[in-house]
Amino acid sequence: MIDCRQSEKMAEFSQNGEDLRVLQKLANIKKAGQFRLSLDQLRRLEDIRQGQVSVTEEEDAGPPRFITQIEDVEVFVDEGEPAIFECRVEPKHDLNLSVRWYRGGEELVEDERVKISHEYGYAALHIFYTYPEDEGTYTCRATNEIGEDVTEAKLVCRPLPQIRFETPALEEVDREVQLELVKDATVRYGIRAKLKGDEIFKEEAEQSPKFLLKMEHYPKLLAGQSASLQTFLVPVGDPDMKIEWFLNDEPLLFKSSYSPVYDHGALALSISKVYPDDFGEFKVRARNRFGEAELTSWLGEYPGGEQYNDQEGEPDLPAWCNKVEKGRLSVECPPEITKHLVDIEVRETETVKLEVNFIGNPKPEVFWTRDGMELTNSRHLQIREREGKTTLVLINIRREMAGDYRMTTVSNLGSDQTMCRVSVEPLDPASRARLTRMEREGLMQLVAQEEIKLIERKRKKKEKEERMREIREKAKRNV
């Protein structure tokens, strides 16, 4: 017995015999279970069943053919970069079309790291993050009842290159112009150093590499935060100078979070986001024909809770602790910071004190900057300095006062610096409204007090004038 609705549907499709043959063919394919149907194909099948589209045999006729081929992909495995193979295949409306992916002859299946898609003639293999073992030849095979076609490409997994480079020579311009270029670079990167002119490379001089500024240590740095390792390297403009970066005595490899910089002697490595494998000892090595120099910086907690000590062969700064007598340095030495700044987060309207201890003989100059701009005493800023100690007090701090604060100490023997980030948590609407009300009420009270004082002064002045008039009148009567 045939249902009436089924008979009506069959009558509807019988008006187009080609559509009916296609449906019968699709039913056989699905029943056999030998081919996988894409989401787009299933949607199209449903549209055909509902009589919304008409499909002819010409769309399915012919073996598969790739319109575009998959292309070779190169990734850097240490970065865990993704890899994507894409292609287009016809006939795109063939519901009998099967697309499968292989690596080295072994079929690939989807998992949390690999996604396979085939929609409307578009086929893709997406590897979200690569491993070294993913390297090899990848094959995309399209098959239907009439034939098949394949396309191949290679995935090449390369190690990341080491961060190393040579410094460029200075332009052949006047010596004073070269020195101005170097000074401009120190200003751009907030490096305070008194340059005398002998930092410029000279062909006839034997100038070995030398770091004029220590890099800052970050013992309290946490994963997800940023850091900037900065120093100043001379001679500037040596075309034979080679610079290499290392992490825990291993070559430092390029990552998207690393930004190495060299600009007329200003040498820096900016880390936009610190990951757990970034913690440890960073080292920069400079080498030319006349020698080499190394400088280190520590990121993260010191091993075993110990204090980190720079090696003797790094910057030639003094062992200051052995050269202090009765609170004063007994010998000349470059400035050195003994108590560094640390990142801090405060609420708006609070008062913050940033404190730095330093040494140096002769007595070094002290500079405070915020986001590269030098600070001076003002309504909200107070800079204080005494023997071996400087403080920056941020009074009634506001949101616009947030930023990177840097203290630099400089003498004719060298310089040192420390930096921290001050974050300001804004007031909630209720607190801000209360503060505004208090400020308004306080201003009104101040105005009222000033008015009372003015009235009182006028009253006293009037009383004085009256007394003086009475005295003068009394004096006239006596005469």
Side-chain angles (χ1 to χ4, degrees):
M1 185 174 182
I2 301 177
D3 184 75
C4 294
R5 287 172 295 180
Q6 292 179 350
S7 61
E8 292 176 358
K9 198 68 176 178
M10 292 296 291
E12 180 181 345
F13 278 104
S14 64
Q15 296 176 2
N16 190 334
E18 293 179 347
D19 283 345
L20 184 58
R21 287 194 298 272
V22 171
L23 285 178
Q24 292 173 344
K25 182 178 179 181
L26 292 175
N28 293 332
I29 294 172
K30 186 174 181 181
K31 184 177 180 180
Q34 298 175 354
F35 297 94
R36 294 181 296 183
L37 300 179
S38 69
L39 180 61
D40 181 73
Q41 291 170 332
L42 291 175
R43 288 172 179 168
R44 186 172 179 79
L45 176 59
E46 185 63 24
D47 290 341
I48 293 175
R49 286 175 174 168
Q50 295 176 3
Q52 297 177 2
V53 297
S54 176
V55 181
T56 62
E57 288 287 346
E58 284 73 17
E59 289 180 303
D60 295 346
R65 180 175 63 90
F66 285 101
I67 303 174
T68 60
Q69 307 290 319
I70 58 175
E71 298 179 354
D72 294 343
V73 177
E74 182 177 3
V75 296
F76 295 108
V77 292
D78 290 72
E79 189 75 68
E81 290 184 348
I84 303 176
F85 294 99
E86 300 174 297
C87 59
R88 290 197 173 274
V89 60
E90 287 186 344
K92 58 186 177 182
H93 293 312
D94 186 357
L95 302 181
N96 192 18
L97 182 64
S98 171
V99 176
R100 299 175 185 267
W101 291 86
Y102 303 84
R103 181 177 65 83
E106 182 178 351
E107 185 175 359
L108 300 174
V109 295
E110 282 192 352
D111 56 25
E112 69 279 357
R113 195 172 64 92
V114 177
K115 178 183 179 182
I116 299 174
S117 58
H118 173 214
E119 297 291 334
Y120 201 66
Y122 169 80
L125 172 67
H126 189 171
I127 304 175
F128 293 107
Y129 49 93
T130 52
Y131 293 143
E133 55 267 25
D134 291 326
E135 184 170 289
T137 300
Y138 286 74
T139 303
C140 180
R141 176 175 290 113
T143 308
N144 66 7
E145 290 183 330
I146 302 177
E148 71 172 28
D149 194 10
V150 298
T151 178
E152 292 185 349
K154 293 183 178 180
L155 173 63
V156 180
C157 298
R158 297 190 182 278
L160 291 168
Q162 181 186 358
I163 299 180
R164 57 182 178 183
F165 52 89
E166 296 181 358
T167 61
L170 290 177
E171 299 179 3
E172 296 182 0
V173 293
D174 184 77
R175 203 73 168 176
E176 294 182 359
V177 176
Q178 292 179 341
L179 187 58
E180 285 299 321
L181 292 173
V182 174
K183 290 181 178 179
D184 290 343
T186 62
V187 173
R188 277 195 297 273
Y189 295 97
I191 298 176
R192 289 278 187 170
K194 291 187 176 181
L195 305 176
K196 298 176 291 184
D198 56 356
E199 297 85 6
I200 306 298
F201 172 72
K202 300 177 182 178
E203 287 283 353
E204 64 278 4
E206 295 185 1
Q207 298 168 291
S208 59
K210 184 178 181 181
F211 294 102
L212 301 185
L213 183 68
K214 291 184 63 176
M215 291 192 299
E216 186 176 354
H217 301 307
Y218 295 86
K220 297 185 178 181
L221 192 70
L222 303 177
Q225 295 180 325
S226 61
S228 180
L229 311 181
Q230 294 184 336
T231 183
F232 194 86
L233 176 65
V234 296
V236 180
D238 184 356
D240 295 322
M241 182 84 75
K242 295 178 175 59
I243 298 175
E244 297 177 290
W245 284 89
F246 300 87
L247 174 56
N248 297 324
D249 292 326
E250 296 291 335
L252 183 63
L253 306 180
F254 267 105
K255 293 173 63 175
S256 58
S257 56
Y258 293 161
S259 298
V261 173
Y262 178 81
D263 185 1
H264 293 88
L267 180 63
L269 177 67
S270 297
I271 307 175
S272 60
K273 185 177 182 180
V274 174
Y275 292 89
D277 58 352
D278 291 328
F279 291 123
E281 185 187 60
F282 280 78
K283 179 189 297 181
V284 58
R285 177 184 298 157
R287 181 172 58 249
N288 67 3
R289 293 175 296 168
F290 306 108
E292 70 175 43
E294 292 182 350
L295 191 64
T296 60
S297 173
W298 190 273
L299 265 63
E301 293 185 3
Y302 299 134
E306 301 177 358
Q307 291 296 316
Y308 181 79
N309 295 318
D310 291 327
Q311 299 178 2
E312 296 180 358
E314 294 171 358
D316 50 354
L317 295 176
W320 61 271
C321 57
N322 297 326
K323 301 177 181 179
V324 177
E325 293 181 0
K326 296 181 180 180
R328 295 182 179 273
L329 292 172
S330 59
V331 296
E332 288 189 350
C333 69
E336 183 173 354
I337 293 173
T338 58
K339 180 182 178 181
H340 286 262
L341 297 171
V342 295
D343 293 348
I344 187 172
E345 182 175 354
V346 296
R347 286 179 57 84
E348 192 175 358
T349 72
E350 290 183 355
T351 295
V352 182
K353 183 170 73 171
L354 307 180
E355 185 176 280
V356 178
N357 294 345
F358 62 93
I359 61 167
N361 189 20
K363 182 181 178 181
E365 298 180 38
V366 170
F367 302 90
W368 285 90
T369 61
R370 182 182 70 223
D371 297 333
M373 301 296 292
E374 188 170 351
L375 301 176
T376 57
N377 287 333
S378 64
R379 177 184 174 187
H380 293 283
L381 296 171
Q382 289 294 322
I383 299 175
R384 302 167 185 169
E385 182 184 351
R386 62 183 182 181
E387 190 69 30
K389 182 178 179 179
T390 178
T391 58
L392 172 64
V393 182
L394 308 178
I395 305 169
N396 191 19
I397 193 166
R398 301 182 181 276
R399 285 177 292 179
E400 58 268 20
M401 296 170 65
D404 293 330
Y405 286 78
R406 186 190 306 269
M407 195 288 288
T408 306
T409 177
V410 182
S411 74
N412 57 354
L413 297 181
S415 63
D416 199 1
Q417 63 178 345
T418 180
M419 185 183 72
C420 73
R421 171 161 293 182
V422 176
S423 303
V424 179
E425 181 182 352
L427 293 175
D428 57 85
S431 300
R432 184 172 298 281
R434 185 168 57 253
L435 177 63
T436 302
R437 186 177 63 256
M438 292 173 61
E439 290 178 346
R440 184 171 58 252
E441 292 175 353
L443 180 60
M444 294 174 63
Q445 291 178 1
L446 181 61
V447 171
Q449 291 175 0
E450 291 298 323
E451 289 178 348
I452 293 173
K453 291 180 181 178
L454 182 60
I455 294 173
E456 184 67 17
R457 283 196 299 268
K458 288 182 178 180
R459 184 184 64 79
K460 290 181 178 180
K461 183 179 178 181
K462 186 176 181 181
E463 290 178 351
K464 183 178 180 180
E465 290 176 350
E466 289 178 353
R467 285 197 303 268
M468 291 300 297
R469 186 169 58 253
E470 290 176 357
I471 293 173
R472 283 194 294 268
E473 290 177 355
K474 185 176 181 180
K476 288 180 180 180
R477 287 195 300 269
N478 292 335
V479 173

